[in-house]
Amino acid sequence: MSDGVTWIEVKLTVPETDPLRLEPVDEACLSLSPGGFVMEGDDAPPGDDPPPPRGWSRYRVYVGEAQLEGAKAALAAVSSPFPGAIVEHAPLDDGWRERWKAYFEPIEVSDRLLVAPPWREIAPKPGQHVIWIEPAMAFGTGQHETTQLCLQGVDGLAAAGTLPETVLDVGTGTGVLALAAAHLGALRVVGVDTDPQAVAASIENVGKNPVSVAWAFSDTPVGAVEGTFGLVLANIMAHVLIALVEPIAARVAPGGVLMLSGVLVEQAADVIAAYEAHGLAHRHTEPLRGWVRIDLARP
Ligand SMILES: C[S@@+](CC[C@H](N)C(=O)[O-])C[C@H]1O[C@@H](n2cnc3c(N)ncnc32)[C@H](O)[C@@H]1O
């Protein structure tokens, strides 16, 4: 979202609210606009547009002029199963940056943990860690259910005094989960992501957070990451988690914990079965608004 580029908002309004049916739309928006896509339902706060009607969802993605035609075509293609879907676009006016920023409210995970963008003035509770995350070109501002489920998982381990010293975050995005672990006491965090913009964003975010841990963020494929870890986190879509079962499972140390997110309730059984077949034991499934976090352990 740097200056010098004319940014355009592309809106897709679809007559559907079922997260499972909308998953391909989420995936398309994520790849078009990794750090800045917004999804609204009929409970959206009033703004320039009225909220979409009951039973409809509206997506807003932000692209540069050069990406506009490709983005419109991608959104039209992915919404073709939904008759009546509308794709619109408009250049962003001078006030859009402030309105865009307004979407990024601080997210309080617990009395120990809060995620906030760097422009916010925050008065944390005593002992509460603030994870500063710049909502740039990578996923992971803390707004999404799948991120919140993982943050709660990491926080729960810290509350129980069982947060491992070594943490691997597969699909690190902004680095938010690795940074949560670093704030809460992990000594070594490794984050990997196939998207170079995510790697750059996570390195930038380390610089914004007062943590002193050994860290490494890179685009190393998870199968090429060396060693095993006491905690492995992976918030990626279900089909990717299943495709990566072998390398992800192999990174979990004996006695270690694996937390998987990015999974819809309906997809959980398949993901659990894939990991159980690779020696992990299912311990718990935590739901949040149609999504789940799956906790497993290596005996
Ligand atoms: C849903 S985001 C999660 C970001 C952040 N960890 C969070 O919890 O908010 C998923 C991330 O996984 C990355 N990703 C997708 N496929 C991957 C793969 N095969 N290996 C590593 N990262 C991958 C994407 O680029 C994206 O940044």
Side-chain angles (χ1 to χ4, degrees):
M1 299 275 163
S2 59
D3 289 329
V5 178
T6 302
W7 287 95
I8 297 171
E9 182 182 70
V10 188
K11 279 189 291 192
L12 167 64
T13 314
V14 277
E16 184 57 69
T17 54
D18 177 351
L20 196 59
R21 293 205 69 215
L22 288 172
E23 199 185 14
V25 182
D26 288 343
E27 205 164 349
C29 291
L30 181 60
S31 68
L32 289 169
S33 183
F37 95 78
V38 171
M39 187 202 175
E40 299 168 329
D42 61 7
D43 56 352
D48 296 344
D49 297 320
R54 182 172 289 274
W56 289 64
S57 307
R58 181 163 54 217
Y59 291 82
R60 299 171 186 270
V61 304
Y62 301 97
V63 298
E65 243 173 342
Q67 288 84 44
L68 176 61
E69 290 311 316
K72 279 166 51 186
L75 293 180
V78 83
S79 60
S80 61
F82 308 107
I86 305 161
V87 180
E88 303 162 277
H89 74 276
L92 292 160
D93 62 28
D94 289 347
W96 79 273
R97 276 170 209 278
E98 292 311 310
R99 293 200 301 277
W100 186 77
K101 280 182 172 183
Y103 278 109
F104 298 104
E105 286 295 316
I107 301 286
E108 184 167 72
V109 180
S110 73
D111 287 347
R112 275 171 304 281
L113 210 57
L114 186 142
V115 187
W119 59 77
R120 292 297 295 237
E121 278 189 27
I122 299 289
K125 294 176 179 160
Q128 194 174 43
H129 297 261
V130 182
I131 311 172
W132 300 105
I133 294 292
E134 183 76 53
M137 296 304 284
F139 185 104
T141 57
Q143 314 286 316
H144 201 272
E145 284 83 354
T146 60
T147 310
Q148 288 175 20
L149 282 164
C150 286
L151 290 169
Q152 289 164 7
V154 173
D155 182 58
L157 292 175
T162 56
L163 181 68
E165 292 183 352
T166 57
V167 177
L168 171 65
D169 180 12
V170 186
T172 195
T174 57
V176 59
L177 304 181
L179 282 166
H183 273 281
L184 294 175
L187 300 181
R188 185 165 81 90
V189 298
V190 173
V192 293
D193 203 294
T194 43
D195 177 358
Q197 288 185 320
V199 176
S202 50
I203 292 170
E204 191 188 331
N205 282 322
V206 175
K208 295 183 190 299
N209 283 271
V211 288
S212 60
V213 291
W215 59 267
F217 290 99
S218 72
D219 60 1
T220 307
V222 58
V225 173
E226 283 184 17
T228 58
F229 296 78
L231 172 62
V232 177
L233 300 158
N235 174 14
I236 319 183
M237 296 199 169
H239 66 92
V240 182
L241 293 174
I242 291 173
L244 292 179
V245 59
E246 217 173 307
I248 290 180
R251 303 277 84 73
V252 185
V257 175
L258 172 62
M259 291 183 171
L260 302 174
S261 186
V263 178
L264 291 162
V265 175
E266 298 82 352
Q267 301 167 327
D270 288 347
V271 175
I272 293 168
Y275 281 80
E276 283 181 336
H278 283 75
L280 277 296
H282 178 222
R283 295 283 189 248
H284 177 69
T285 300
E286 183 68 26
L288 181 65
R289 294 190 287 276
W291 297 90
V292 292
R293 185 192 74 236
I294 299 167
D295 298 347
L296 302 113
R298 182 171 292 291

